[in-house]
Amino acid sequence: MSERRINYNRPPERIHIQLEEPEDIWHAYHLIAPTDHVTANGSHRVMSESITGSTVSTRVYTKFTIAVKTIDFDPAASELHLSGQIVQENSLAKLGQHQTLHLKVSDYLKLTKPDGWDTVSLDVLRQLTDPRVRAARSTVAAAVIMQEGLAHICAITEHRTILKLKISAAIPRKRAGGSTVHDERVTRFFNQIWTSLSRQVNAETDEAILLASPGFTAAAFLAHILSDHSGLDSAAAAAARANKSRFIVAHAASGHMYALDDVLKSAEVQARLHHSRYARQAKLMDDFMTLLRRDDGWAWYGPGEVGKAVALGAVGKGGGKLLISLGLFRATDVATRQRYVALVDGVRDYGGEVSIMSDESEAGKRLVNLGGVAAILTYPLQDLEEPEADDDDGGGEEGEELGGVENGVDVAGRKDEW
């Protein structure tokens, strides 16, 4: 969070931020864009000549200020890697030299946006630094995707799914007339899962705990940890019984991470998570797909088509909704980022609703497959598709007329940038 209170309507030129938890790293990844200036601690290799004439390489640590060129986020390690050129010279580095900054939890940084703060970056900044927003930030659910001998323990947040731990165990098959070894290994496997999971679960919240597997593995796991003969220590057994009402058992195709998306679509899970942003966005995406299948002009996707609809005021007050991927605002080209920001601002100006979806959520992944931009309109529009490359000149002009564009300006006076 920020060292001082921020006026989000008129943010200062430079923001001081401390990365206090893994979720902060994720928000910083979406806040920092190419061309931004970032100051943080980093290391630099310095070459010097010893008394004997040999070359000595030494790594020294100090603050560097770079103009960001590339941004890499490591979700497993919760680290952010920023590469760019030094824009503030110091005793160790000259202007223009290449430098990479590695940011992790507990690090400080200073962020300057030479191109200015747009509405989308201010929204992300608020989520990262506003104490009230941070206090409301929570894990939506804990989840265990399992099969016999394999389990993935995850935390589902409002924006993404985080793999906390992978557990694997060698479990022999049951043999006719003797399954003692198999049963002992399964018991040990189940106890290991619950011992690890109980460390991840916040006992002070009512977040759901999803247990999903093929067949009856998840149900058998729940029955085991709630039984009086589980073999768990007293504290772990008491924790299992105390959280009994929070468990949801669901079917999964396998014990691998990819199966979680289908689990989150199930009616039972959606009903339990209906209050969360995660579930609201999933429902919004379902509503969009339902309208799209009707093919009656109420739902469109793609930057060009949605851009035309927004320019015509068709994504505004009275039910208009813009669905846009957060990843689009990380475009390396400033003009491209500005076009998407203008799209968001246009919908808000007309009184429409904007839902910015994380690429890592279930709904966000579906939206990325549609090009990252979609809209539910206030009133239906037809023939917004981009003209085909082999259309004749008359066809192209007709397409522009149907889109409500005349000489580059739409009927509402908004310049057509799409």
Side-chain angles (χ1 to χ4, degrees):
M1 63 184 297
S2 174
E3 296 176 352
R4 57 176 69 92
R5 192 172 184 84
I6 297 172
N7 181 347
Y8 296 102
N9 295 321
R10 299 180 64 184
E13 180 181 349
R14 176 176 290 183
I15 300 291
H16 298 241
I17 299 171
Q18 182 182 13
L19 306 172
E20 297 180 349
E21 56 188 33
E23 200 74 355
D24 291 343
I25 302 289
W26 185 88
H27 284 295
Y29 172 55
H30 291 90
L31 178 64
I32 300 170
T35 72
D36 287 354
H37 292 183
V38 173
T39 301
N41 287 325
S43 64
H44 195 75
R45 190 175 295 279
V46 177
M47 307 299 292
S48 59
E49 187 173 322
S50 67
I51 300 176
T52 60
S54 61
T55 302
V56 179
S57 174
T58 307
R59 184 165 293 277
V60 294
Y61 295 84
T62 188
K63 280 187 171 62
F64 296 95
T65 300
I66 66 170
V68 177
K69 282 190 173 182
T70 61
I71 308 166
D72 180 52
F73 173 55
D74 183 348
S78 290
E79 291 184 357
L80 197 58
H81 309 290
L82 310 176
S83 296
Q85 289 182 311
I86 292 174
V87 293
Q88 186 173 320
E89 193 171 16
N90 60 32
S91 60
L92 298 174
K94 297 180 180 180
L95 289 175
Q97 283 187 333
H98 181 271
Q99 179 67 37
T100 299
L101 300 177
H102 305 280
L103 301 176
K104 58 186 183 302
V105 173
S106 77
D107 283 348
Y108 283 90
L109 66 94
K110 296 177 184 177
L111 173 64
T112 304
K113 285 187 171 288
D115 299 316
W117 292 86
D118 57 60
T119 55
V120 175
S121 60
L122 285 174
D123 285 345
V124 178
L125 178 65
R126 184 176 287 105
Q127 294 180 52
L128 178 60
T129 60
D130 190 328
R132 292 168 296 181
V133 176
R134 291 173 61 86
R137 187 193 296 174
S138 63
T139 299
V140 174
V144 184
I145 308 299
M146 67 177 78
Q147 64 189 42
E148 202 167 84
L150 178 66
H152 292 86
I153 299 176
C154 315
I156 302 170
T157 72
E158 297 282 4
H159 303 281
R160 62 190 184 119
T161 299
I162 306 169
L163 175 63
K164 293 290 189 178
L165 187 65
K166 176 182 177 181
I167 298 174
S168 58
I171 299 178
R173 293 184 178 182
K174 283 188 176 181
R175 298 184 180 276
S179 59
T180 303
V181 176
H182 173 273
D183 294 344
E184 288 177 352
R185 294 284 181 86
V186 169
T187 296
R188 189 185 310 166
F189 175 58
F190 283 170
N191 288 351
Q192 186 179 2
I193 293 174
W194 176 246
T195 300
S196 301
L197 177 61
S198 60
R199 297 193 188 107
Q200 308 293 336
V201 173
N202 186 348
E204 297 179 357
T205 68
D206 60 352
E207 68 191 43
I209 303 174
L210 310 181
L211 307 175
S213 73
F216 302 100
T217 304
F221 167 74
L222 179 58
H224 170 76
I225 63 174
L226 295 177
S227 72
D228 295 329
H229 307 288
S230 62
L232 292 167
D233 61 57
S234 57
R241 289 190 287 271
N243 289 284
K244 182 177 179 180
S245 61
R246 297 164 62 181
F247 290 107
I248 302 174
V249 177
H251 173 77
S254 76
H256 296 275
M257 282 289 293
Y258 69 81
L260 182 59
D261 284 348
D262 289 333
V263 174
L264 294 173
K265 293 177 188 176
S266 68
E268 184 179 5
V269 173
Q270 288 291 323
R272 185 68 174 268
L273 305 182
H274 70 279
H275 63 285
S276 68
R277 174 177 177 171
Y278 196 103
R280 290 195 302 271
Q281 290 188 343
K283 183 180 184 305
L284 179 58
M285 197 67 205
D286 288 340
D287 292 343
F288 169 79
M289 295 304 297
T290 298
L291 291 172
L292 186 64
R293 283 191 288 268
R294 293 178 185 173
D295 195 23
D296 54 7
W298 283 92
W300 289 90
Y301 66 91
E305 291 82 351
V306 173
K308 290 179 181 179
V310 171
L312 290 168
V315 192
K317 187 176 181 180
K321 296 180 177 67
L322 173 69
L323 293 68
I324 188 164
S325 170
L326 186 55
L328 295 178
F329 302 101
R330 295 199 307 273
T332 55
D333 179 54
V334 175
T336 301
R337 293 203 307 270
Q338 291 175 340
R339 282 203 299 271
Y340 287 120
V341 171
L343 195 64
V344 170
D345 292 343
V347 172
R348 289 173 173 165
D349 289 344
Y350 282 119
E353 177 185 332
V354 177
S355 181
I356 302 177
M357 299 186 179
S358 164
D359 302 359
E360 300 173 52
S361 68
E362 183 269 331
K365 291 174 183 176
R366 296 163 68 189
L367 181 60
V368 168
N369 290 335
L370 296 176
V373 184
I376 296 174
L377 308 191
T378 311
Y379 54 86
L381 291 174
Q382 304 296 332
D383 302 320
L384 292 180
E385 293 95 339
E386 296 290 339
E388 297 293 335
D390 58 352
D391 284 352
D392 59 26
D393 293 338
E397 294 174 359
E398 181 182 0
E400 290 183 353
E401 183 179 348
L402 289 171
V405 178
E406 298 176 3
N407 297 325
V409 180
D410 70 359
V411 293
R414 188 181 299 275
K415 186 176 179 181
D416 180 24
E417 298 177 335
W418 301 91

